[in-house]
Amino acid sequence: MNPACPACLYGSYLAHTQGKKHQTNLARRAAKEAKDAPAQPAPEKVKVEVKKFVKIGRPGYKVTKQRDPEIGQQSLLFQIDYPEIAEGIGPRHRFMSAYEQRIEPPDRRWQYLLFAAEPYETIAFKVPSREIDKAETRFWTHWNRETKQVRTDGLNHL
């Protein structure tokens, strides 16, 4: 049994929806609904202030390979220095898959760890694409406001 077209009440739905008569009926119906509908004022758009910073280059960084003596997991410690970070801004980090980035051809064996803080350029580290142990005691990030250094430790690979 073929269902009827709800817009046109025509019997053979599959054959009908591809035809000119169906498209004409849809256009006619849309025009009628637009005419009958009361005019609604457009919602007022909220203006968001865009922060504009002039990039001043890459931050200094240090990466250290480590091994947990208790369980033997490998880890990486990232220390990123942001001596001229904008007031009130904290650094951010995130993981990016190889398929999200557009710099190199995608390779599923790698992922990227990105660090960003204004007015510095965003930096990325290419790390093996293995599962990360994100337990509280294994993966942590600390932002030191006095030394203006962010430390991320715990790229522990399971």
Side-chain angles (χ1 to χ4, degrees):
M1 177 175 139
N2 285 337
C5 174
C8 307
L9 302 175
Y10 189 80
S12 178
Y13 179 76
L14 294 175
H16 168 70
T17 56
Q18 304 304 315
K20 188 183 277 187
K21 186 174 183 181
H22 177 72
Q23 299 301 324
T24 304
N25 284 342
L26 286 179
R28 186 180 304 135
R29 185 177 189 177
K32 183 181 178 214
E33 287 176 358
K35 188 177 99 174
D36 293 345
Q40 294 180 350
E44 210 172 297
K45 291 187 178 180
V46 178
K47 299 216 176 197
V48 177
E49 184 180 324
V50 178
K51 295 178 182 177
K52 293 187 180 184
F53 293 98
V54 176
K55 300 291 184 186
I56 61 171
R58 293 188 187 112
Y61 63 87
K62 181 179 176 184
V63 181
T64 308
K65 288 183 181 180
Q66 302 174 333
R67 182 176 295 275
D68 187 327
E70 295 174 13
I71 57 176
Q73 279 185 336
Q74 296 174 337
S75 70
L76 295 171
L77 169 66
F78 294 92
Q79 296 170 271
I80 320 296
D81 295 311
Y82 294 109
E84 297 177 37
I85 191 168
E87 194 64 38
I89 302 283
R92 300 179 316 272
H93 73 279
R94 82 173 192 95
F95 289 96
M96 176 187 282
S97 80
Y99 298 99
E100 289 180 80
Q101 58 87 26
R102 301 281 179 245
I103 305 299
E104 299 178 346
D107 185 349
R108 65 187 183 108
R109 296 176 300 171
W110 300 98
Q111 63 184 335
Y112 298 85
L113 176 58
L114 280 66
F115 289 92
E118 298 297 345
Y120 291 93
E121 293 178 20
T122 300
I123 59 172
F125 296 94
K126 189 174 180 178
V127 295
S129 186
R130 293 186 268 170
E131 187 177 350
I132 306 297
D133 186 354
K134 291 187 179 176
E136 269 188 45
T137 57
R138 299 267 178 232
F139 183 82
W140 53 267
T141 300
H142 175 69
W143 168 238
N144 186 329
R145 294 181 199 285
E146 285 78 41
T147 63
K148 297 189 177 184
Q149 182 182 73
V150 66
R151 293 172 56 111
T152 299
D153 188 12
L155 276 181
N156 295 307
H157 298 292
L158 297 173

